[in-house]
Amino acid sequence: MSRILVTGGTGYIGSHTVVELIQAGYQVTIVDNLSNSNIDVLQGIEQITGVKPDFENVDCLDYKNFNAVFDRFPDIEGVIHFAASKAVGESVEKPLMYYRNNLGSLVNLLDIMNQHKVKNIVFSSSCTVYGQPDAEHLPVDETAPRKTALSPYGNTKQINEDIICDQAHAQKDLNAVILRYFNPIGAHPSALIGELPNGVPNNLLPFVTQTAAGIREKLRVFGNDYNTPDGSCIRDYIYVVDLAKAHVKAIDRMLNENGRDQVEVFNLGTGRGLSVLEIIRGFEQATGVKLNYEIVGRREGDIEQVWAKADKANNVLGWKADTPLDAILLSAWQWQQRLS
Ligand code: UFG
């Protein structure tokens, strides 16, 4: 049984991925400093899978202790690197924290992997690297140009991609898969793990479910005067469990398939763009709960519309995000009900 190290494995996407890895037969070691997650997530993972993953409460910036994890688990064959700070607004307020955390963690990781002869890394990137694609690049595929980042957070994703490419150039036995996520939403169907937003949510879905639960009075829809069919912004919302499964496919491919490129990039999205108002209607239909919302002005820095061309992941990874929207939205609501 191959062992995979998952940094940030108690976080939102990380925990769902750990579940899928275990269910696919992998052994998992989680490294997480719990800076934006809760230790109880481990129980949820165990309840779903029947297996408690090995857990190391270590900060990836702490070279000595991070390195010691690799000493303790000499059978690690691949790493999935989720651990990062991820709030766009916070990154504008605290750029140094973002550059230190997000760049330093990856540099430490690649260095330690090289020393321990661990040759496979899957990296969590984001569709934020595309910025607002030009009309001829929508839906956006992996060959679309990256745009200047709008936030330090977005910039760290671009620089991290570059660090991986530069290291792969220098270290020919390093294999990397860069996964560019679109907008992950929803929770595990068991409602035992899900997203745990810190304070007032920035992202749409946690705000929707908290409003439905009465924790927030009103959802604000940021703008209805965009150049889109209903005037609200369009995103590619992807079910977090589908997203998690793509990581298993990426690891399977790295461990078992020959003839890969040394660094491969995949968009992970559904290929379907949905507006904010469509999400609201979809949520009301899926759950039967009416949402209190109002249209307000645009949010600074928002991209008007972006959705994925996911053909490469479909064809090369043999993966497709195919969970119906109502099931996804219902899972988010069931998780919220469990939390509140
Ligand atoms: N929105 C609202 N009201 C809210 C929250 C969001 O109308 O209360 C709208 C936004 O204006 C946007 C859409 O819902 O049109 C999605 O917003 P999110 O904040 O959920 O997601 P973003 O697409 O802005 O950002 C997400 C991630 C970032 C990542 C980015 C990549 O949060 O980490 O996708 O494009 F960088």
Side-chain angles (χ1 to χ4, degrees), residues 57-79:
N57 186 342
V58 168
D59 189 326
C60 301
L61 291 181
D62 176 353
Y63 188 95
K64 192 163 152 268
N65 283 312
F66 197 12
N67 190 55
V69 174
F70 284 73
D71 288 332
R72 272 197 291 285
F73 296 95
D75 56 342
I76 293 168
E77 291 191 32
V79 178

Side-chain angles (χ1 to χ4, degrees), residues 86 88 126-128 153-154 181-183 201-205 207 219-223 226 233-235 237 276 299 302-303 306:
K86 63 167 188 179
V88 176
S126 165
C127 70
T128 196
Y153 160 78
Y181 310 150
F182 284 67
N183 288 57
N202 293 309
N203 293 119
L204 179 61
L205 246 288
F207 214 104
L219 168 71
R220 292 176 304 155
V221 174
F222 297 130
Y226 285 99
C233 290
I234 292 176
R235 296 285 184 278
Y237 295 94
V276 176
R299 180 171 72 175
D302 258 339
I303 282 158
V306 63

Side-chain angles (χ1 to χ4, degrees), residues 18-316:
V18 169
V19 164
E20 296 303 321
L21 284 167
I22 293 172
Q23 289 180 338
Y26 287 100
Q27 285 188 296
V28 174
T29 300
I30 294 174
V31 166
D32 203 307
N33 66 354
L34 301 174
S35 61
N36 193 23
S37 61
N38 194 308
I39 189 78
D40 297 343
V41 169
L42 294 176
Q43 257 173 38
I45 294 171
E46 187 176 6
Q47 275 177 271
I48 296 168
T49 62
V51 176
K52 192 165 194 160
D54 293 296
F55 174 71
E56 299 279 342
N57 186 342
V58 168
D59 189 326
C60 301
L61 291 181
D62 176 353
Y63 188 95
K64 192 163 152 268
N65 283 312
F66 197 12
N67 190 55
V69 174
F70 284 73
D71 288 332
R72 272 197 291 285
F73 296 95
D75 56 342
I76 293 168
E77 291 191 32
V79 178
I80 308 181
H81 183 49
F82 292 103
S85 304
K86 63 167 188 179
V88 176
E90 184 185 49
S91 80
V92 177
E93 307 285 316
K94 301 175 184 168
L96 297 183
M97 173 183 147
Y98 273 67
Y99 288 114
R100 182 179 289 123
N101 279 351
N102 293 5
L103 305 187
S105 295
L106 178 68
V107 170
N108 279 351
L109 173 60
L110 290 172
D111 185 341
I112 294 168
M113 283 175 66
N114 194 12
Q115 288 193 41
H116 289 263
K117 307 210 175 335
V118 178
K119 300 188 172 88
N120 301 298
I121 180 170
V122 175
F123 175 67
S124 296
S125 190
S126 165
C127 70
T128 196
V129 301
Y130 298 120
Q132 175 61 66
D134 300 331
E136 74 263 26
H137 290 301
L138 274 176
V140 70
D141 73 18
E142 294 82 354
T143 64
R146 298 188 320 183
K147 294 269 177 77
T148 305
L150 294 175
S151 68
Y153 160 78
N155 204 19
T156 66
K157 290 295 176 192
Q158 295 200 2
I159 298 171
N160 276 339
E161 290 191 354
D162 295 342
I163 291 173
I164 288 171
C165 292
D166 289 346
Q167 182 61 16
H169 181 73
Q171 184 196 329
K172 291 295 177 214
D173 63 359
L174 177 68
N175 298 305
V177 171
I178 291 171
L179 300 176
R180 293 178 177 158
Y181 310 150
F182 284 67
N183 288 57
I185 58 168
H188 194 269
S190 63
L192 291 167
I193 55 172
E195 191 169 5
L196 283 169
N198 210 345
V200 181
N202 293 309
N203 293 119
L204 179 61
L205 246 288
F207 214 104
V208 163
T209 58
Q210 289 195 6
T211 307
I215 299 167
R216 311 276 158 212
E217 194 203 331
K218 210 179 260 183
L219 168 71
R220 292 176 304 155
V221 174
F222 297 130
N224 69 346
D225 57 352
Y226 285 99
N227 185 23
T228 60
D230 66 21
S232 63
C233 290
I234 292 176
R235 296 285 184 278
D236 188 331
Y237 295 94
I238 174 172
Y239 185 34
V240 67
V241 175
D242 289 336
L243 185 64
K245 288 180 175 158
H247 294 74
V248 179
K249 294 279 191 185
I251 285 286
D252 287 346
R253 180 171 165 80
M254 294 180 109
L255 298 187
N256 303 318
E257 299 242 343
N258 296 320
R260 282 170 285 103
D261 289 341
Q262 200 191 348
V263 180
E264 294 183 317
V265 180
F266 295 99
N267 280 349
L268 297 182
T270 65
R272 163 198 64 194
L274 291 172
S275 73
V276 176
L277 294 173
E278 284 175 313
I279 288 287
I280 292 174
R281 271 196 301 279
F283 183 84
E284 291 182 335
Q285 274 165 21
T287 63
V289 182
K290 195 110 195 69
L291 271 177
N292 188 17
Y293 72 90
E294 66 175 334
I295 313 279
V296 300
R298 294 180 177 197
R299 180 171 72 175
E300 204 190 320
D302 258 339
I303 282 158
E304 180 177 272
Q305 45 188 321
V306 63
W307 70 100
K309 190 163 176 7
D311 297 24
K312 187 176 173 194
N314 297 164
N315 298 331
V316 178

